[in-house]
Amino acid sequence: MTISRKKILFLLFLLFFIVLYLRKIHPPLKVSSRTDFILGTTVTLTVYDKEADALIHSAFEELRHLESILSVNKANTLIDQINHSAGIMPVKVDPDTFNLIQSALNYSSLTDGAFDLTIGPLVNLWHIGFPDAKVPSPYEIQEVLPLINYHYVQLDTSNYTVYLTQPHMALDLGGIAKGYAADILATLFKDANVQHALINLGGNLYTLGCKPDGTPWTIGVQDPFHPRGEIIGTILQSNQSFVTSGIYERYLEDTSGKKFHHILNPHTGYPYDNQLASVTIISETSMDGDALSTATFALGLTEGLAFIESRPHTEAIFITTDARVYLSSGIKNLFTLTSPDFTLCYSPY
Ligand code: FAD
Ligand code: MG
């Protein structure tokens, strides 16, 4: 009797230590998440593996700091200072902002200006996404077009200065800065040893690590013709950025019902009209993904897809206005079409 009691006690102890050990290797999942409106969009940050409220708080502080440097919608930001000094004098910036502007300039040059970081005067004219958005007159458009030219940006790499050489020029980093911000948050989370997180800056998604159960995240690709949340298909991925540019969320509708989206052609002054509804880029860094989603949208289906194929570790999903879906070569086995309204089309890669 005494022996069996000892045995039971021993087994209970053993069980206790096994539970302790298992909790150490598989601690119970904690989820910390917060949503806020910032950078003109809804941002949700979610950390899955540990208590991270303080970390998420610092991440939002970082976003506010970035907004105070990069926004063109707030007075006295660094970008605002550069724009107000156009044709007058160079402005000194911090090395990180300098690198961002240099990357934006690089994408402008790689796409021969289809993506152009000096698009500011045209963006201000249309002001799509704001209450005073309007279709500008052809005269107004002709007046600003000569100001849009990335060749007029002078960067001094030894002094970190940025100079817009023509008066009234203006930088607009709306096509790249959210990606840059997502990368900064990903680094912040990685430095804090976070293993599993989702960074969602208004649809610019970065998946940190894999899902807590060790499998890849399943990401839905937005249906460009239906409300947010309805998807055309899914893709599996881990540790990747997932950025979409499209015609369907930020646009202006005139009195006749004609829609004008916000990705503007620096040569015509009007939104690109190239039969694309959206482009999604899957890449390692979100800055690349953001710039490339806007840039390949601007380049159009054929040129855009060829551009993506020429870049390592970068994939794309192009959706046309007539509901065809084109995939780059590296994701053909990772993407599943789920909507019967869309057709997966052959792409030559
Ligand atoms: P993307 O395709 O990534 O970018 C499209 C944007 O790029 C356009 O809106 C325009 O800004 C720019 N663009 C257009 N044509 C070209 C071109 N040919 N080449 C290069 N760039 C082009 N929005 C608000 O409504 N209110 C705010 O207060 C506000 N603050 C912001 C602050 C910051 C720091 C940033 C980065 C953005 C802010 N926005 C704000 C903008 C908003 O979040 C935009 O919707 C967003 O930047 C556009 O991103 P996207 O992913 O929708 O489209
Ligand atoms: Mg973009």
Side-chain angles (χ1 to χ4, degrees):
M1 192 68 188
T2 339
I3 294 172
S4 77
R5 233 192 217 169
K6 266 188 183 166
K7 261 188 185 166
I8 288 169
L9 263 178
F10 174 74
L11 284 173
L12 279 175
F13 264 119
L14 195 65
L15 196 66
F16 177 71
F17 284 114
I18 289 172
V19 169
L20 264 190
Y21 176 72
L22 284 176
R23 281 173 70 91
K24 198 168 163 39
I25 43 174
H26 296 297
L29 181 68
K30 284 194 180 144
V31 183
S32 306
S33 185
R34 189 173 135 195
T35 298
D36 246 328
F37 193 79
I38 189 161
L39 307 178
T41 193
T42 307
V43 172
T44 301
L45 305 179
T46 311
V47 171
Y48 285 88
D49 53 340
K50 57 181 174 184
E51 171 61 52
D53 287 346
L55 183 65
I56 289 178
H57 178 78
S58 331
F60 274 104
E61 291 294 298
E62 181 61 38
L63 285 181
R64 265 175 242 295
H65 171 65
L66 290 172
E67 188 174 49
S68 74
I69 295 175
L70 303 174
S71 181
V72 286
N73 307 303
K74 282 191 155 60
N76 222 17
T77 65
L78 211 43
I79 299 301
D80 200 40
Q81 287 172 34
I82 294 169
N83 293 347
H84 277 102
S85 306
I88 303 170
M89 61 179 179
V91 173
K92 194 169 175 65
V93 302
D94 61 275
D96 289 341
T97 307
F98 188 85
N99 287 340
L100 168 65
I101 294 172
Q102 200 167 37
S103 300
L105 186 57
N106 190 30
Y107 277 112
S108 304
S109 155
L110 276 175
T111 59
D112 217 4
F115 176 97
D116 192 315
L117 81 165
T118 66
I119 197 83
L122 200 54
V123 172
N124 293 338
L125 199 55
W126 285 85
H127 227 205
I128 294 172
F130 294 86
D132 60 345
K134 63 159 181 23
V135 180
S137 71
Y139 173 76
E140 286 175 305
I141 287 182
Q142 289 313 314
E143 214 177 24
V144 300
L145 287 187
L147 299 171
I148 299 159
N149 190 333
Y150 66 94
H151 289 109
Y152 298 154
V153 179
Q154 279 181 7
L155 300 185
D156 179 341
T157 41
S158 33
N159 292 311
Y160 292 128
T161 61
V162 181
Y163 182 40
L164 309 181
T165 60
Q166 313 298 311
H168 308 298
M169 278 180 77
L171 297 183
D172 180 297
L173 301 178
I176 185 170
K178 277 196 295 174
Y180 167 77
D183 289 336
I184 289 178
L185 298 196
T187 305
L188 189 81
F189 285 0
K190 282 177 194 163
D191 287 350
N193 222 7
V194 167
Q195 306 292 322
H196 316 280
L198 287 178
I199 296 167
N200 187 347
L201 307 189
N204 267 36
L205 193 66
Y206 185 88
T207 56
L208 197 157
C210 53
K211 282 200 293 186
D213 67 5
T215 59
W217 303 95
T218 305
I219 305 298
V221 178
Q222 175 65 39
D223 180 335
F225 313 120
H226 285 97
R228 195 178 258 214
E230 289 192 35
I231 61 167
I232 67 144
T234 57
I235 184 154
L236 297 173
Q237 60 149 253
S238 307
N239 262 330
Q240 294 280 302
S241 157
F242 193 86
V243 180
T244 301
S245 287
I247 61 173
Y248 52 93
E249 278 199 349
R250 206 170 168 97
Y251 61 82
L252 159 72
E253 197 164 351
D254 72 7
T255 43
S256 70
K258 186 169 163 48
K259 288 179 178 172
F260 298 87
H261 66 80
H262 65 140
I263 305 173
L264 303 168
N265 183 335
H267 299 293
T268 65
Y270 288 87
Y272 280 102
D273 183 11
N274 56 14
Q275 268 97 56
L276 281 180
S278 72
V279 181
T280 298
I281 301 291
I282 299 136
S283 56
E284 287 176 351
T285 75
S286 199
M287 183 177 75
D288 279 339
D290 195 358
L292 284 172
S293 69
T294 316
T296 49
F297 189 99
L299 289 174
L301 175 63
T302 310
E303 216 185 320
L305 197 52
F307 189 75
I308 292 303
E309 289 295 336
S310 72
R311 297 182 65 87
H313 314 299
T314 311
E315 303 298 336
I317 302 166
F318 288 76
I319 305 178
T320 60
T321 47
D322 59 356
R324 288 174 291 130
V325 180
Y326 294 83
L327 304 175
S328 61
S329 54
I331 48 163
K332 292 200 166 148
N333 296 329
L334 299 174
F335 177 81
T336 309
L337 187 70
T338 55
S339 167
D341 301 339
F342 289 78
T343 313
L344 204 49
C345 288
Y346 168 79
S347 53
Y349 300 100

Short mmCIF file of all heavy atoms in Angstrom, two decimals, residues 18 195 224 249 293 314-315 337 345 349:
data_model
loop_
_atom_site.label_atom_id
_atom_site.label_comp_id
_atom_site.label_asym_id
_atom_site.label_seq_id
_atom_site.Cartn_x
_atom_site.Cartn_y
_atom_site.Cartn_z
N ILE A 18 6.93 16.87 -16.61
CA ILE A 18 6.70 16.76 -18.08
C ILE A 18 5.90 17.97 -18.57
O ILE A 18 6.24 18.59 -19.57
CB ILE A 18 5.98 15.43 -18.43
CG1 ILE A 18 6.95 14.26 -18.24
CG2 ILE A 18 5.48 15.45 -19.87
CD1 ILE A 18 6.32 12.89 -18.36
N GLN A 195 8.94 35.69 -32.94
CA GLN A 195 9.06 34.61 -33.95
C GLN A 195 7.91 34.61 -34.95
O GLN A 195 8.07 34.16 -36.07
CB GLN A 195 9.08 33.24 -33.25
CG GLN A 195 10.13 33.10 -32.16
CD GLN A 195 11.54 33.10 -32.72
OE1 GLN A 195 11.79 32.54 -33.78
NE2 GLN A 195 12.45 33.76 -32.02
N PRO A 224 -10.40 42.43 -56.68
CA PRO A 224 -10.43 43.89 -56.93
C PRO A 224 -11.82 44.44 -57.23
O PRO A 224 -12.02 45.64 -57.25
CB PRO A 224 -9.51 44.06 -58.15
CG PRO A 224 -9.34 42.73 -58.75
CD PRO A 224 -9.67 41.69 -57.72
N GLU A 249 -9.38 50.89 -54.36
CA GLU A 249 -9.63 51.43 -53.02
C GLU A 249 -9.50 52.94 -52.96
O GLU A 249 -10.24 53.60 -52.26
CB GLU A 249 -8.69 50.77 -52.00
CG GLU A 249 -9.26 49.45 -51.57
CD GLU A 249 -8.72 48.89 -50.28
OE1 GLU A 249 -7.72 49.41 -49.76
OE2 GLU A 249 -9.29 47.90 -49.81
N SER A 293 5.14 47.21 -56.60
CA SER A 293 3.72 47.07 -56.92
C SER A 293 3.24 48.31 -57.69
O SER A 293 2.53 48.19 -58.68
CB SER A 293 2.88 46.83 -55.67
OG SER A 293 2.83 47.98 -54.87
N THR A 314 11.61 37.64 -56.19
CA THR A 314 10.46 38.54 -56.30
C THR A 314 9.41 37.89 -57.18
O THR A 314 9.73 37.41 -58.26
CB THR A 314 10.90 39.88 -56.94
OG1 THR A 314 12.07 40.35 -56.28
CG2 THR A 314 9.80 40.93 -56.84
N GLU A 315 8.17 37.87 -56.69
CA GLU A 315 7.09 37.23 -57.44
C GLU A 315 5.91 38.21 -57.56
O GLU A 315 5.83 39.17 -56.79
CB GLU A 315 6.62 35.95 -56.74
CG GLU A 315 7.72 34.92 -56.52
CD GLU A 315 8.36 34.39 -57.80
OE1 GLU A 315 7.70 34.44 -58.86
OE2 GLU A 315 9.53 33.95 -57.75
N LEU A 337 -6.32 29.32 -56.96
CA LEU A 337 -7.45 30.16 -57.36
C LEU A 337 -8.71 29.61 -56.69
O LEU A 337 -9.02 28.43 -56.81
CB LEU A 337 -7.59 30.14 -58.89
CG LEU A 337 -8.61 31.10 -59.47
CD1 LEU A 337 -8.14 32.55 -59.33
CD2 LEU A 337 -8.86 30.79 -60.95
N CYS A 345 -4.48 32.50 -66.19
CA CYS A 345 -4.03 32.53 -67.59
C CYS A 345 -2.58 32.12 -67.71
O CYS A 345 -1.78 32.30 -66.79
CB CYS A 345 -4.20 33.93 -68.16
SG CYS A 345 -5.91 34.29 -68.42
N TYR A 349 6.26 32.64 -68.66
CA TYR A 349 7.44 32.37 -67.84
C TYR A 349 7.28 31.09 -67.04
O TYR A 349 6.20 30.71 -66.73
CB TYR A 349 7.69 33.55 -66.89
CG TYR A 349 7.92 34.82 -67.64
CD1 TYR A 349 6.91 35.75 -67.80
CD2 TYR A 349 9.15 35.08 -68.25
CE1 TYR A 349 7.11 36.91 -68.53
CE2 TYR A 349 9.36 36.23 -68.98
CZ TYR A 349 8.34 37.15 -69.11
OH TYR A 349 8.53 38.29 -69.82
#
